[in-house]
Amino acid sequence: MSDYNFAYLDEQTKRMIRRAILKALAVPGYQVPFASREMPMPYGWGTGGVQVSAACLVPEDRLKVIDQGADDTTNAVSIRRFFERTAGVATTGRTRDATLIQTRHRIPEEPLTRDQILVYQVPIPEPLRFLEPRETETRKMHSLEEYGLVHVKLYEDIARHGQIATSYAYPVKVEGRYVMDPSPIPKFDNPKLESAAVQLFGAGREQRIYALPPHCKVVSLDFEDHPFEASKADHACDLCGSATSYLDEVIVDDAGGRMFVCSDTDYCETRRDAGHLGRLSASGPVTTGQEDAA
Amino acid sequence: MTPLLQVKGLTKRYGARIGCQDVSFDLYPGEVMGIVGESGSGKSTLLNCLAGHLEADSGAVVFDTRADGPRDVRAMSEPERRMLARTDWAFVHQNPRDGLRMGVSAGGNVGERLMAVGARHYGNIRGQALDWLDRVEIAGDRIDDRPTAFSGGMQQRLQIARNLVTGPRLVFMDEPTGGLDVSVQARLLDLLRGLVREMGLSAVIVTHDLAVVRLLAHRLMVMKSGHVVEAGLTDQVLDDPQHGYTQLLVSSVLQA
């Protein structure tokens, strides 16, 4: 890290991205185009999120990176290391200690505060993309607020599956105006989009930034007779016993054995440290040794 | 009585070439206007200009809106025009693939316009879709099939159901029976005639098939090289053609 340049991007680029972020915050849910840069990682690995993070980081920040809820998977580890090396900021796994959190596919279970920024990696920012392939047409639909087509998708779900089968990247309407793709988070996380933290969405390949300012009204689209439901696996975590967190299903042997664990590893560890026990805590294949305290 | 649609001096040019020139007519509620002519005579250009798909160069298209009375469609803002296009207007394409969403089930296709104007109750949308499929003689158990699984005639009937579900007052049809075999054509015409009577629809139908206009249209315009060469009551024009081109057109049809 040199004194005149901080967090990988040059200052002009950061200024351009910050302008886009400010505009996105001023028009919640609106996709602001920006001149996405080549990043030292492939598209689809979070180039958009990394650029937004780089533009927001200050030397005092403490960074947390989440990949599918976990802090220790490839994507999370490499992005965290990237910023350790290029910005020299402190990093953490604890949600409550972090000031800036870059995430992929999850929102932390622990409620965020007004002092935090949550940055999402977005593969496809356009919620209407798979319904209407023409970009010119989707832009027109956004500008004229013609969102009937989103409900056609939900109608098709119910007609075919008896319920709304869209379980991730569930479309939301922001402040009664723009329909927005909340990135591929499970629909379980949709209610958490109304948050005290600033939420920024960066799509590198598609060159779009959008945002949700704190306490912004976010409504998941649905039908009157088929209301939105934030669904999760109908189990409790096998390690920490939480019945309210989003769960991953893990196959543990080749005889049909399986376990359900919190997808948010920090949340699960914090609970285990506090002495909570799950079904497999004492004898299960995964133990941390910290249950002894309980 | 106010005409539903007044067209005054509508002109569309493609560079130096004429698309259609100085077309004027009035369409009253419940009336069906046929436009016939050979290929390249400007009838589709005219229809697309009326429906707002093409920008005309000059002239006026005055539509009697429900809220504000007669207004020039060309002077409306785009949101207003698109709103009109999905509520009071309907456009039936010659090729059902242009007018349908082929990846969406029949029910979704019919329901799309309802959802576009704010319907948010799945049960009601589905009920209305079933009702309309029945009206256009598509069995209710096909509601969850995609249009790709339908025959050409069924696709065309589905397109009609999808367009009429919001109860439009004016329907534009571009060769609705083109590409269908004669027996399916006959059924479709029968259906259209019934719906037009029942719902009191006004329609502008472009076709090159004189049998279609004889069955459906009350009045007729004959176009040639972008100009209207003859206009009048359908049977009058077809049985006693005055203009040389109309005489040629009428005599070129084999009498079955």
Side-chain angles (χ1 to χ4, degrees), chain A residues 131-132 137 140-141 144-149 151-152 155-156 158-160 222-226, chain B residues 78-79 82 86 101 103-105 107-108 112 115-116 119-123 125-126 143-144 146:
Chain A
L131 306 164
E132 172 56 64
E137 190 64 19
K140 194 163 274 175
M141 288 160 77
L144 300 180
E145 236 181 307
E146 285 181 6
Y147 290 132
L149 209 49
H151 276 88
V152 174
Y155 171 95
E156 288 289 292
I158 303 174
R160 202 166 306 157
D222 58 4
F223 284 105
E224 289 158 16
D225 47 347
H226 286 265
Chain B
E78 192 173 9
R82 284 172 75 116
R86 61 174 188 260
R101 287 193 190 277
V104 168
S105 71
E112 181 178 342
M115 292 182 248
R120 291 292 179 262
H121 191 284
Y122 175 80
I125 293 168
R126 201 165 168 84
I143 186 168
D144 291 332
R146 293 186 177 181

Side-chain angles (χ1 to χ4, degrees), chain A residues 36-89:
Chain A
S36 177
R37 298 291 191 249
E38 289 256 337
M39 296 303 282
M41 58 177 68
Y43 287 127
W45 283 62
T47 51
V50 162
Q51 288 178 77
V52 172
S53 293
C56 290
L57 274 177
V58 292
E60 297 76 35
D61 265 327
R62 192 182 296 269
L63 178 73
K64 171 181 163 76
V65 184
I66 308 172
D67 174 11
Q68 307 260 20
D71 286 287
D72 51 3
T73 50
T74 315
N75 197 286
V77 170
S78 57
I79 290 174
R80 195 163 54 229
R81 249 168 48 96
F82 175 76
F83 281 119
E84 277 168 4
R85 287 163 90 173
T86 59
V89 293

